[in-house]
Amino acid sequence: MSATLLVEDARKHFPSGDTVVRALDGVTVEARPGELIGIMGASGSGKSTMLLIAGLLEPPTDGAVYFRGECVSHPEADLDRLRDFRRRNIGFVFQKANLIPFLSALDNVALALQIDDVPVAQARDYAHELLVELGLGHRVDNRPARLSGGEQQRVAIARALANDPPLILADEPTAALDSVRSRQVMELFRTIADERQASVMVVTHDSRSIDLFDRVYEFSDGRILSENHSAAASTLVAR
Ligand SMILES: Nc1ncnc2c1ncn2[C@@H]1O[C@H](COP(=O)(O)OP(=O)(O)OP(=O)(O)O)[C@@H](O)[C@H]1O
Ligand SMILES: [Mg+2]
């Protein structure tokens, strides 16, 4: 079976005055169904750039993105035309939950379905189900300001899951959370990978959750320094 996501030999170069910033310089990563993949590395090593390319939000300067074996991106791809594809297939979670402040938790999640033409009642029922699944059944009517950071992030994850995407991409989703809530969110991603057989790729600086990952790609200067399976990955942080 082909990988849900394969980013192959991706480069991203930004012109900067007389020089070029090589944000990515030949990076290959993949995620298969049921896998939770970690992306780690120093600040500026290209992690977010890779995620933007994997999520079809930025075209690579060179290289390609394959989704279930099919090439979906090349340097000339029209990313606007990929919007529907993204909405159906990719769930995004960022460092900040970015919820709509005047909508309840339930409506924030339901909106993602309504945009996809799901009737309101059905959207709200499924949003409710998802929030219960994520342990927020008692918070469905709260607006974001009345939720803790961890709760807001779980609403954002519910929203990312609403369309049942086979691929979830998360960029430092726990950076604003304390260690207990970070762990809970990372465990949630593990469960999502296991139970939904989704492919989940998480950029994180949090080495404490490394045991949950199937594989960790360590980035350095736009390249992959190492690719570790979880047992080996725990030695990576000890260095
Ligand atoms: N739009 C852009 N224009 C110019 N340079 C960029 C752009 N986006 C990223 N870069 C540069 O590319 C490199 C990689 O950036 P990137 O944001 O991918 O790093 P990162 O690994 O996510 O870092 P952090 O851990 O701090 O989030 C950095 O040197 C950054 O300054
Ligand atoms: Mg980043």
Short mmCIF file of all heavy atoms in Angstrom, two decimals, residues 163-197:
data_model
loop_
_atom_site.label_atom_id
_atom_site.label_comp_id
_atom_site.label_asym_id
_atom_site.label_seq_id
_atom_site.Cartn_x
_atom_site.Cartn_y
_atom_site.Cartn_z
N ASN A 163 -13.70 16.57 8.81
CA ASN A 163 -13.94 16.00 7.48
C ASN A 163 -13.30 14.62 7.31
O ASN A 163 -13.17 14.14 6.18
CB ASN A 163 -13.42 16.94 6.40
CG ASN A 163 -14.14 18.27 6.43
OD1 ASN A 163 -15.36 18.31 6.33
ND2 ASN A 163 -13.40 19.35 6.61
N ASP A 164 -12.89 14.04 8.45
CA ASP A 164 -12.27 12.72 8.41
C ASP A 164 -11.08 12.63 7.46
O ASP A 164 -11.00 11.70 6.64
CB ASP A 164 -13.31 11.66 7.98
CG ASP A 164 -13.75 10.86 9.18
OD1 ASP A 164 -12.90 10.60 10.05
OD2 ASP A 164 -14.94 10.50 9.24
N PRO A 165 -10.15 13.56 7.54
CA PRO A 165 -9.04 13.54 6.58
C PRO A 165 -8.08 12.38 6.87
O PRO A 165 -7.84 12.05 8.03
CB PRO A 165 -8.34 14.88 6.83
CG PRO A 165 -8.63 15.19 8.26
CD PRO A 165 -10.00 14.63 8.54
N PRO A 166 -7.54 11.79 5.82
CA PRO A 166 -6.56 10.72 6.03
C PRO A 166 -5.20 11.24 6.50
O PRO A 166 -4.37 10.47 6.94
CB PRO A 166 -6.44 10.08 4.65
CG PRO A 166 -6.99 11.08 3.68
CD PRO A 166 -7.94 11.95 4.41
N LEU A 167 -5.01 12.58 6.40
CA LEU A 167 -3.73 13.15 6.79
C LEU A 167 -3.95 14.34 7.72
O LEU A 167 -4.74 15.23 7.41
CB LEU A 167 -2.98 13.62 5.53
CG LEU A 167 -1.64 14.33 5.74
CD1 LEU A 167 -0.61 13.38 6.36
CD2 LEU A 167 -1.11 14.88 4.41
N ILE A 168 -3.23 14.33 8.87
CA ILE A 168 -3.29 15.45 9.80
C ILE A 168 -1.87 16.02 9.90
O ILE A 168 -0.92 15.27 10.14
CB ILE A 168 -3.69 15.01 11.23
CG1 ILE A 168 -4.90 14.09 11.24
CG2 ILE A 168 -3.86 16.21 12.15
CD1 ILE A 168 -6.21 14.76 11.11
N LEU A 169 -1.74 17.33 9.71
CA LEU A 169 -0.43 17.99 9.83
C LEU A 169 -0.52 19.00 10.97
O LEU A 169 -1.42 19.84 10.99
CB LEU A 169 -0.11 18.72 8.52
CG LEU A 169 -0.01 17.84 7.27
CD1 LEU A 169 0.21 18.71 6.03
CD2 LEU A 169 1.12 16.82 7.41
N ALA A 170 0.41 18.90 11.91
CA ALA A 170 0.36 19.78 13.08
C ALA A 170 1.72 20.44 13.28
O ALA A 170 2.75 19.76 13.31
CB ALA A 170 -0.04 18.99 14.32
N ASP A 171 1.73 21.77 13.38
CA ASP A 171 2.99 22.51 13.58
C ASP A 171 3.05 23.06 14.99
O ASP A 171 2.34 24.01 15.33
CB ASP A 171 3.09 23.65 12.55
CG ASP A 171 4.52 24.18 12.44
OD1 ASP A 171 5.38 23.78 13.27
OD2 ASP A 171 4.78 24.99 11.53
N GLU A 172 3.85 22.44 15.81
CA GLU A 172 4.04 22.82 17.22
C GLU A 172 2.71 23.01 17.95
O GLU A 172 2.46 24.05 18.57
CB GLU A 172 4.89 24.09 17.31
CG GLU A 172 6.25 23.87 16.62
CD GLU A 172 7.30 24.86 17.10
OE1 GLU A 172 7.27 25.19 18.30
OE2 GLU A 172 8.13 25.26 16.28
N PRO A 173 1.85 21.99 17.89
CA PRO A 173 0.51 22.14 18.47
C PRO A 173 0.53 22.23 19.99
O PRO A 173 -0.46 22.65 20.58
CB PRO A 173 -0.21 20.85 18.03
CG PRO A 173 0.89 19.85 17.86
CD PRO A 173 2.06 20.64 17.34
N THR A 174 1.64 21.86 20.63
CA THR A 174 1.65 21.87 22.10
C THR A 174 2.57 22.95 22.65
O THR A 174 2.80 23.01 23.85
CB THR A 174 2.09 20.50 22.65
OG1 THR A 174 3.45 20.24 22.23
CG2 THR A 174 1.21 19.38 22.15
N ALA A 175 3.09 23.81 21.78
CA ALA A 175 4.09 24.79 22.23
C ALA A 175 3.55 25.73 23.31
O ALA A 175 4.30 26.22 24.15
CB ALA A 175 4.59 25.60 21.03
N ALA A 176 2.24 25.98 23.28
CA ALA A 176 1.68 26.92 24.25
C ALA A 176 1.11 26.20 25.48
O ALA A 176 0.48 26.84 26.33
CB ALA A 176 0.59 27.75 23.58
N LEU A 177 1.35 24.91 25.59
CA LEU A 177 0.70 24.15 26.67
C LEU A 177 1.71 23.69 27.72
O LEU A 177 2.90 23.53 27.42
CB LEU A 177 0.01 22.91 26.08
CG LEU A 177 -1.01 23.18 24.97
CD1 LEU A 177 -1.59 21.86 24.48
CD2 LEU A 177 -2.11 24.11 25.46
N ASP A 178 1.22 23.47 28.94
CA ASP A 178 2.12 22.93 29.98
C ASP A 178 2.37 21.45 29.68
O ASP A 178 1.75 20.85 28.80
CB ASP A 178 1.55 23.16 31.37
CG ASP A 178 0.25 22.41 31.61
OD1 ASP A 178 0.12 21.26 31.15
OD2 ASP A 178 -0.65 22.99 32.23
N SER A 179 3.29 20.85 30.45
CA SER A 179 3.75 19.52 30.07
C SER A 179 2.65 18.46 30.17
O SER A 179 2.59 17.55 29.34
CB SER A 179 4.96 19.12 30.90
OG SER A 179 4.63 19.16 32.26
N VAL A 180 1.76 18.62 31.14
CA VAL A 180 0.69 17.62 31.28
C VAL A 180 -0.26 17.70 30.09
O VAL A 180 -0.61 16.70 29.47
CB VAL A 180 -0.08 17.84 32.61
CG1 VAL A 180 -1.29 16.93 32.69
CG2 VAL A 180 0.85 17.61 33.79
N ARG A 181 -0.65 18.94 29.75
CA ARG A 181 -1.59 19.10 28.62
C ARG A 181 -0.92 18.75 27.29
O ARG A 181 -1.56 18.23 26.38
CB ARG A 181 -2.13 20.51 28.59
CG ARG A 181 -2.96 20.79 29.82
CD ARG A 181 -4.12 21.73 29.58
NE ARG A 181 -5.06 21.66 30.68
CZ ARG A 181 -4.84 22.21 31.88
NH1 ARG A 181 -3.73 22.88 32.12
NH2 ARG A 181 -5.74 22.11 32.83
N SER A 182 0.37 19.04 27.18
CA SER A 182 1.11 18.65 25.96
C SER A 182 1.03 17.15 25.77
O SER A 182 0.77 16.66 24.66
CB SER A 182 2.58 19.02 26.07
OG SER A 182 2.73 20.38 26.09
N ARG A 183 1.28 16.44 26.85
CA ARG A 183 1.26 14.98 26.78
C ARG A 183 -0.12 14.49 26.35
O ARG A 183 -0.24 13.59 25.52
CB ARG A 183 1.65 14.43 28.16
CG ARG A 183 1.67 12.91 28.25
CD ARG A 183 2.91 12.35 27.58
NE ARG A 183 2.82 10.90 27.40
CZ ARG A 183 3.75 10.16 26.83
NH1 ARG A 183 4.86 10.71 26.38
NH2 ARG A 183 3.61 8.88 26.68
N GLN A 184 -1.16 15.10 26.93
CA GLN A 184 -2.52 14.68 26.58
C GLN A 184 -2.79 14.88 25.09
O GLN A 184 -3.39 14.03 24.43
CB GLN A 184 -3.55 15.47 27.40
CG GLN A 184 -3.59 15.03 28.85
CD GLN A 184 -4.42 15.98 29.71
OE1 GLN A 184 -4.80 17.07 29.29
NE2 GLN A 184 -4.69 15.56 30.93
N VAL A 185 -2.34 16.03 24.57
CA VAL A 185 -2.59 16.31 23.15
C VAL A 185 -1.81 15.33 22.27
O VAL A 185 -2.33 14.79 21.30
CB VAL A 185 -2.24 17.78 22.82
CG1 VAL A 185 -2.16 18.00 21.32
CG2 VAL A 185 -3.28 18.72 23.43
N MET A 186 -0.56 15.06 22.66
CA MET A 186 0.24 14.11 21.87
C MET A 186 -0.37 12.71 21.93
O MET A 186 -0.39 11.98 20.94
CB MET A 186 1.68 14.06 22.37
CG MET A 186 2.49 15.27 22.00
SD MET A 186 2.65 15.46 20.20
CE MET A 186 3.81 16.81 20.18
N GLU A 187 -0.89 12.33 23.11
CA GLU A 187 -1.54 11.02 23.23
C GLU A 187 -2.79 10.96 22.36
O GLU A 187 -3.12 9.93 21.78
CB GLU A 187 -1.86 10.71 24.69
CG GLU A 187 -0.62 10.29 25.45
CD GLU A 187 -0.84 10.10 26.96
OE1 GLU A 187 -1.93 10.48 27.45
OE2 GLU A 187 0.08 9.59 27.61
N LEU A 188 -3.44 12.11 22.28
CA LEU A 188 -4.63 12.19 21.42
C LEU A 188 -4.25 11.94 19.95
O LEU A 188 -4.93 11.20 19.23
CB LEU A 188 -5.25 13.58 21.59
CG LEU A 188 -6.56 13.88 20.90
CD1 LEU A 188 -7.62 12.86 21.30
CD2 LEU A 188 -7.01 15.29 21.28
N PHE A 189 -3.14 12.52 19.52
CA PHE A 189 -2.68 12.28 18.14
C PHE A 189 -2.36 10.79 17.94
O PHE A 189 -2.64 10.23 16.88
CB PHE A 189 -1.45 13.12 17.82
CG PHE A 189 -1.76 14.57 17.52
CD1 PHE A 189 -1.15 15.59 18.23
CD2 PHE A 189 -2.66 14.91 16.53
CE1 PHE A 189 -1.43 16.92 17.97
CE2 PHE A 189 -2.96 16.24 16.25
CZ PHE A 189 -2.34 17.25 16.97
N ARG A 190 -1.77 10.18 18.96
CA ARG A 190 -1.47 8.74 18.87
C ARG A 190 -2.76 7.93 18.68
O ARG A 190 -2.85 7.04 17.83
CB ARG A 190 -0.74 8.32 20.16
CG ARG A 190 -0.32 6.86 20.31
CD ARG A 190 0.80 6.47 19.39
NE ARG A 190 0.31 5.87 18.16
CZ ARG A 190 1.08 5.55 17.13
NH1 ARG A 190 2.38 5.79 17.15
NH2 ARG A 190 0.57 5.01 16.06
N THR A 191 -3.78 8.29 19.46
CA THR A 191 -5.07 7.60 19.37
C THR A 191 -5.70 7.81 18.00
O THR A 191 -6.27 6.89 17.40
CB THR A 191 -6.03 8.14 20.46
OG1 THR A 191 -5.36 8.03 21.71
CG2 THR A 191 -7.32 7.35 20.52
N ILE A 192 -5.60 9.05 17.49
CA ILE A 192 -6.18 9.36 16.17
C ILE A 192 -5.51 8.50 15.09
O ILE A 192 -6.17 7.95 14.22
CB ILE A 192 -6.01 10.87 15.86
CG1 ILE A 192 -6.93 11.69 16.77
CG2 ILE A 192 -6.30 11.16 14.39
CD1 ILE A 192 -6.58 13.17 16.83
N ALA A 193 -4.19 8.38 15.18
CA ALA A 193 -3.47 7.54 14.22
C ALA A 193 -3.92 6.08 14.35
O ALA A 193 -4.21 5.42 13.35
CB ALA A 193 -1.97 7.68 14.42
N ASP A 194 -4.00 5.60 15.58
CA ASP A 194 -4.35 4.19 15.81
C ASP A 194 -5.79 3.89 15.41
O ASP A 194 -6.05 2.93 14.69
CB ASP A 194 -4.17 3.83 17.30
CG ASP A 194 -2.70 3.79 17.69
OD1 ASP A 194 -1.85 3.68 16.79
OD2 ASP A 194 -2.41 3.87 18.91
N GLU A 195 -6.71 4.70 15.89
CA GLU A 195 -8.13 4.33 15.75
C GLU A 195 -8.71 4.72 14.40
O GLU A 195 -9.60 4.06 13.90
CB GLU A 195 -8.94 4.95 16.89
CG GLU A 195 -8.56 4.30 18.21
CD GLU A 195 -9.39 4.79 19.38
OE1 GLU A 195 -10.24 5.68 19.18
OE2 GLU A 195 -9.17 4.26 20.48
N ARG A 196 -8.22 5.82 13.83
CA ARG A 196 -8.76 6.24 12.53
C ARG A 196 -7.87 5.81 11.39
O ARG A 196 -8.19 6.06 10.23
CB ARG A 196 -8.88 7.76 12.49
CG ARG A 196 -9.92 8.29 13.46
CD ARG A 196 -9.85 9.79 13.57
NE ARG A 196 -10.96 10.27 14.35
CZ ARG A 196 -12.06 10.84 13.84
NH1 ARG A 196 -12.15 11.05 12.56
NH2 ARG A 196 -13.04 11.22 14.62
N GLN A 197 -6.72 5.22 11.76
CA GLN A 197 -5.73 4.88 10.73
C GLN A 197 -5.36 6.09 9.87
O GLN A 197 -5.11 5.99 8.67
CB GLN A 197 -6.22 3.70 9.86
CG GLN A 197 -6.13 2.36 10.58
CD GLN A 197 -4.70 2.00 10.95
OE1 GLN A 197 -3.88 1.71 10.10
NE2 GLN A 197 -4.37 2.03 12.25
#
